[in-house]
Structures are given as C-alpha cells and as structure tokens.
Amino acid sequence: DAGVIQSPRHEVTEMGQEVTLRCKPISGHNSLFWYRQTMMRGLELLIYFNNNVPIDDSGMPEDRFSAKMPNASFSTLKIQPSEPRDSAVYFCASRELDPTSAFFGQGTRLTVV
Amino acid sequence: GESVGLHLPTLSVQEGDNSIINCAYSNSASDYFIWYKQESGKGPQFIIDIRSNMDKRQGQRVTVLLNKTVKHLSLQIAATQPGDSAVYFCAENTSDMRFGAGTRLTVKP
C-alpha cells in the first residue's frame, strides 16, 4: 500500500479564494482524521470520520471550513473563503476502526497571501 | 526578538547518549498507547506501542515503559543518533486521537 496520500503537497492561494485539500486513506482503514499544524497551536484535530460518517467536528475553526468523505477511499477539506491565518500544514491520517496506530500523509503546506 | 508559539518541552542530548522522553496521560481507563516521531517536513510516524497489560516493550534501539499507577509513559532511545532529532508525541488509545504539544529532541554531534 502506498500509505495515506494527500494532494497537493503545496498550495499557495490568494485571500478569499477557495482551497480544497484531498486525502486518500489506506485501503481498509475505517477512521480518517484531518489535522492542522502551526507553530502557535501545534497539531490540532479538526474533524474525524468513522465509516465515512463525521463523528466530531468540534475542532473545525469556523464555518469557512468544511470536510466531506463521500466514500471510503476519499476525503476533502475545503476552506472558503481562505484567509492568511489559515496558512498551516494540513495532515490527513487513517487507521482501523478499533483504535490502533494511525498512519499520516505527508501533509499539504497551505500558504494564503 | 523573542519567538512566540507553542511551548514545546525540549531535550538536547549528545550523539551516542541515551535519551528519555516522558509523557503523562490523563485517562486511567486507557489500555493502549503509541509513540510517534515527527521529523521536519513530514507527518508523524509510528515508532512503538504498548498495551496496558505490559509495563515494558522493546523495539530496535527504543524501549517504552508504562507506569499505570502514576499514569506515566516514557520512551527511551539508546545510542541516540542525529537522525533521531524530531518531535516525539505520545498518544492514548482514544477514538478522537488528539495530540499534546510533543517533545523536541535535538541531538548534538
């Protein structure tokens, strides 16, 4: 398995634009997590899904952020409109439903100018 | 100027020395624990895990110790190498998988 795949690896966008981050979890993993990492706030959990269903989105900063998981092999995190303070590295991770170790993607470095 | 940001516990060791990174957990019902390593520019990676029916588990150059009485974990790295420089996170077996600040390990040549 190629591991958790995120795209794009880097994204530079202008303030106000819509940004979509993508994640392909490891096949057979039932839980998927989205994180944001910054120097100021560390590694923050934004939202997680079990069996494609959002379980806890309390970490989503505000209504500008939304996440979907239309099927077991794909998830998106969308920011609309983007703001400079959204600049961060966004990680996706997946694991089996019964809590075990998680596998992280390489991350998407987002810069909003 | 003064740097601002998340206060990360740091550990600086000499190459070849042993490193010990500590972690406290909060949920006495937790039965599974994981250590992750995050190198610069990469996502966290699994290093080693331990279940609550054990108090020690060894891997290659790493050992995890679990003290359930005081809810404490430690990660020991033997003969620390420059490639061990990273941020290390411990995680409890919870459904939501939240992380603390981590500990930054710096290895001096």
Side-chain angles (χ1 to χ4, degrees):
Chain A
D1 199 315
V4 176
I5 300 173
Q6 291 186 245
S7 64
R9 290 293 311 277
H10 302 274
E11 176 81 37
V12 180
T13 191
E14 290 185 346
M15 181 174 63
Q17 296 296 307
E18 177 180 294
V19 176
T20 299
L21 311 182
R22 297 173 174 79
C23 176
K24 181 182 187 315
I26 291 173
S27 177
H29 283 187
N30 304 101
S31 293
L32 183 140
F33 302 79
W34 281 103
Y35 294 89
R36 177 173 69 178
Q37 189 171 40
T38 61
M39 289 291 290
M40 288 294 293
R41 303 173 73 90
L43 190 61
E44 298 175 275
L45 175 66
L46 299 177
I47 185 172
Y48 77 97
F49 296 83
N50 285 347
N51 293 323
N52 313 338
V53 176
I55 302 301
D56 185 348
D57 65 354
S58 60
M60 297 286 261
E62 45 198 276
D63 292 345
R64 297 185 298 106
F65 285 68
S66 62
K68 294 182 180 180
M69 192 163 185
N71 56 63
S73 59
F74 184 65
S75 177
T76 59
L77 177 68
K78 185 177 292 186
I79 307 172
Q80 166 64 17
S82 58
E83 296 182 3
R85 60 193 169 119
D86 301 330
S87 297
V89 181
Y90 291 81
F91 287 103
C92 174
S94 72
R95 70 177 184 194
E96 296 173 1
L97 193 58
D98 184 19
T100 60
S101 61
F103 293 82
F104 283 75
Q106 291 282 61
T108 295
R109 181 173 294 277
L110 173 65
T111 303
V112 183
V113 297
Chain B
E2 182 181 358
S3 64
V4 295
L6 193 67
H7 175 67
L8 218 60
T10 58
L11 176 65
S12 182
V13 300
Q14 204 71 38
E15 182 178 356
D17 288 352
N18 296 335
S19 302
I20 300 176
I21 300 171
N22 297 303
C23 177
Y25 63 93
S26 55
N27 186 355
S28 56
S30 294
D31 59 1
Y32 177 65
F33 305 88
I34 309 161
W35 280 98
Y36 292 91
K37 172 186 180 183
Q38 185 177 23
E39 296 177 88
S40 180
K42 298 183 179 180
Q45 291 182 295
F46 169 85
I47 305 173
I48 190 167
D49 57 5
I50 188 167
R51 298 200 180 269
S52 60
N53 60 353
M54 305 170 69
D55 52 21
K56 180 179 180 179
R57 189 167 188 213
Q58 287 184 292
Q60 187 177 15
R61 283 199 309 116
V62 294
T63 300
V64 56
L65 299 178
L66 174 62
N67 185 331
K68 296 180 286 294
T69 303
V70 295
K71 292 187 284 187
H72 182 269
L73 277 167
S74 68
L75 178 71
Q76 300 178 1
I77 305 174
T80 313
Q81 301 170 0
D84 296 325
S85 293
V87 177
Y88 290 82
F89 297 95
C90 69
E92 298 174 61
N93 172 20
T94 58
S95 56
D96 61 358
M97 210 171 70
R98 296 178 192 271
F99 289 81
T103 296
R104 182 178 299 282
L105 174 65
T106 302
V107 181
K108 296 177 288 187

